[in-house]
Amino acid sequence: MKFYINRKKMRSIYGVMAVFFVVSGCFLTGNKSYATEVSTESYKPQEESIDTEDAKESAGLAEEGALEAIEPQAETLIDTEEPEEVGDVSGYYEALRQKGFPDSYCAKLAPLQERYPGWDFRAVQTGLDFQMAVAAESTPGKNLVQSKSNDARKSMDTAAYDWTSNTWYGYDGNSWVCASDAYIAYCMDPRNFLDETHIFQFESLNYQTYQNVEGTQNILNNTFMAGNYVDTDSAQRNYPNDFVTIGSGLGISPYHLAARCKQEQGTQGTSQLISGTYAGYEGYFNYFNIGAYTTSNASAVQNGLNYAKNAGWNTRYKSIQGGSQILHNNYVAKGQNTLYFQKFNVVYTPSLYAHQYMTNVQAAISESVSMSKAYRNKSQSFVFYIPVYQNMPESPVAFSDSGNGNNWLSGLAVEGYSLTPSFRGDVTDYSLVVGQKVGSVNISAAAVAGTSTVSGNGSHGLNYGTNVIEVTCKAQNGSTKTYKISIVRKQPSGVATDVVENASVETNYQLGDTYMTGVQPGETEQDILSKITFKNCEGILLNADRSHHEGPVATGNILAIFQNGVPVKTYEVILYGDLNGDGKLNNTDLVLMKKHILEVSPLSGDFLVAADLNKAGDGVTNRDMVLLKKHILSIESISQ
């Protein structure tokens, strides 16, 4: 499997979206973190949210070398790591199957098991349908990516994206947008990350004895938390030691705590949330950004420090300890004891898909890189809780950064004419009628997205009768949308028409390539056939469904010409003013014409042709409505 990553410019992918949750009376926020479902209607990010350079750095967005995260770059690929070449691993398959892993998991886990016999893989049977889980996680606002990500990673759901302008609705200003369901599915499929690095998103976050100061130091190297500090109570402390002491005391992984703080505060630690000098909140600290969300009357920093003050976090150590306690109580203790389960809650059943610490869809993937770095010696007895879903695809979900998927047109026009209905990007079928002397039309179309291409622009020749012209918009990702314009070119009058070789008809009706006009209201099949001379052929009048027509001739009837019992030519009958095919010209037709002009219910095909009563080739207008009214009132008959 391939996954896109920029290894040279890796930054923490978390942001500082003002999203929060309530758990046991506590608000917990973080870099794209929350624990209850956020409604896109109720949540409106404020410009006042943490957006200074210091705050961006505190979120891991401004400092180069922060916790390795997947930055959306299409040009660099990451291949899911394959273990070094190993021998026969078939013996591990059965043991893994006995643990509940499907064969598609075993294919990835068996080589790892052969290389690391001490690793303990445990299948977590979620009991959830994979596609349903993906659909639940695809709710707009639940999973986000950076706005600069490849467009394929961004949702094009109408609640997350405006198709008419090619813009995404932003979170935390415009920094974050909704993730696409395809990318969410990729990130949710555990089989994409069963390699020596990314498997650590499934590592148990419960404290283990092999988690020590050295491993914590590896995570914190080259950050402001790499060594000693003097706390506000004058105590001499050491960050790596603190995380181990707190983690072992609470029963939560110190590596996880260190990585999470690093993710929240970046490498330089310049956020006002941990400065201890913010006006009105001097001497208070909030290392996990708990409660740091923007409200109408307070900034994210103010709310975060107010939370710290109320919690009594007046030393750095108390802040780290208090935040760790919340993280343990609200997540690890509730079974969300892996990075994956904190990102995708598929195990804590009281709040499935909602009790989630991070909204950044890549969060668990990025933190697993840091967790992996903590272990110089990976030949230890790690425990991994790996989710298994029902009805999973046979192969791991694939994903590629294929680009923008907008295949809509922003405009479509026929020079000198009006389309019916008026153009809209989501409507693909249009029609118009032109005069018999119009031999060509010029079509212009433009795409919504600058990355899309359009074919079908320019001049198009017209035959008599119906001409269907297609204009296709092709998106950057290869998807297409075809718009069709049905243009009816009116037929010239004629007294004789060749049908096939040695066969013809002669009549005073107007017979073009496809249409027959000149029929008078009330005429029957017998009337029409008596006025046509058939040579080496015969005719019959049919309904649109090809059944034999009886009664007055109507719009949509078909004059079918047969030679030796074989159909050789058909003409569609047009009775001007008959817009419903009943052979009558009355108020019903007037209503249909009004609805068409008002674009309530557009006419099409034969009925659109029959509505152009003045035969001016200008479409259906109020002038045609006046002619129909005069006919109904017996003031002036319509010319057929």
Side-chain angles (χ1 to χ4, degrees), residues 580-600:
N580 64 348
D582 64 356
K584 302 175 183 177
L585 282 61
N586 53 32
N587 285 326
T588 299
D589 303 297
L590 189 63
V591 170
L592 291 173
M593 185 177 287
K594 285 182 179 179
K595 287 184 176 181
H596 175 89
I597 293 173
L598 294 173
E599 298 187 5
V600 174

Side-chain angles (χ1 to χ4, degrees), residues 212-424:
N212 53 35
V213 173
E214 181 186 7
T216 308
Q217 184 73 61
N218 290 339
I219 294 175
L220 298 177
N221 280 336
N222 301 315
T223 76
F224 73 98
M225 295 182 289
N228 299 325
Y229 67 98
V230 179
D231 211 340
T232 54
D233 59 0
S234 299
Q236 297 282 337
R237 300 187 184 281
N238 176 273
Y239 278 112
N241 283 331
D242 288 349
F243 283 113
V244 173
T245 300
I246 292 169
S248 60
L250 293 174
I252 186 172
S253 166
Y255 297 171
H256 174 49
L257 298 177
R260 184 57 54 83
C261 268
K262 180 180 174 182
Q263 193 82 31
E264 298 286 354
Q265 300 304 331
T267 61
Q268 299 302 309
T270 57
S271 168
Q272 292 174 318
L273 282 162
I274 60 171
S275 69
T277 61
Y278 190 82
Y281 297 95
E282 293 85 353
Y284 289 97
F285 308 88
N286 193 332
Y287 271 72
F288 286 90
N289 293 349
I290 309 298
Y293 58 90
T294 299
T295 58
S296 59
N297 57 1
S299 70
V301 171
Q302 290 170 329
N303 281 330
L305 289 176
N306 187 61
Y307 186 95
K309 186 175 183 178
N310 291 335
W313 296 345
N314 59 358
T315 69
R316 296 179 185 277
Y317 186 87
K318 287 181 180 179
S319 174
I320 295 172
Q321 185 179 47
S324 299
Q325 181 79 60
I326 290 174
L327 187 57
H328 174 269
N329 291 349
N330 291 339
Y331 289 94
V332 176
K334 292 185 176 180
Q336 290 176 260
N337 59 342
T338 69
L339 293 171
Y340 182 97
F341 290 147
Q342 288 186 13
K343 174 66 220 82
F344 302 113
N345 176 24
V346 293
V347 290
Y348 181 50
T349 54
S351 300
L352 283 176
Y353 314 120
H355 188 266
Q356 300 179 161
Y357 190 87
M358 309 86 96
T359 55
N360 168 21
V361 73
Q362 301 171 134
I365 305 168
S366 70
E367 277 199 63
S368 69
V369 177
S370 185
M371 294 291 283
S372 173
K373 285 184 176 180
Y375 303 112
R376 292 180 183 234
N377 175 21
K378 292 185 178 179
S379 298
Q380 304 179 64
S381 300
F382 295 117
V383 176
F384 300 98
Y385 293 102
I386 304 173
V388 177
Y389 297 89
Q390 295 179 353
N391 303 316
M392 296 191 75
E394 287 188 17
S395 302
V397 173
F399 181 82
S400 64
D401 282 330
S402 55
N404 192 285
N406 192 320
N407 54 17
W408 281 25
L409 291 179
S410 61
L412 177 65
V414 178
E415 185 178 347
Y417 298 93
S418 297
L419 293 175
T420 301
S422 297
F423 176 78
R424 269 180 26 195

Side-chain angles (χ1 to χ4, degrees), residues 538-570:
E538 57 186 6
I540 188 173
L541 199 64
L542 304 175
N543 295 308
D545 62 2
R546 299 307 194 264
S547 61
H548 184 223
H549 178 74
E550 297 179 356
V553 177
T555 296
N557 287 163
I558 297 170
L559 175 64
I561 310 300
F562 290 80
Q563 187 178 46
N564 299 322
V566 178
V568 292
K569 182 71 176 177
T570 59

Side-chain angles (χ1 to χ4, degrees), residues 54-105:
D54 285 346
K56 287 180 180 177
E57 191 280 328
S58 77
L61 291 175
E63 179 59 29
E64 204 68 37
L67 173 61
E68 287 191 301
I70 295 162
E71 186 170 281
Q73 300 283 337
E75 55 271 13
T76 307
L77 289 169
I78 178 171
D79 293 314
T80 301
E81 299 173 10
E82 298 294 341
E84 294 180 2
E85 189 171 333
V86 295
D88 183 11
V89 296
S90 58
Y92 293 105
Y93 270 71
E94 186 56 35
L96 290 167
R97 291 190 188 106
Q98 289 296 321
K99 289 185 175 184
F101 288 107
D103 283 355
S104 58
Y105 283 69

Side-chain angles (χ1 to χ4, degrees), residues 163-181:
W163 281 80
T164 63
S165 62
N166 191 35
T167 56
W168 281 266
Y169 307 132
Y171 292 74
D172 185 31
N174 294 317
S175 300
W176 294 84
V177 298
C178 293
S180 67
D181 53 358

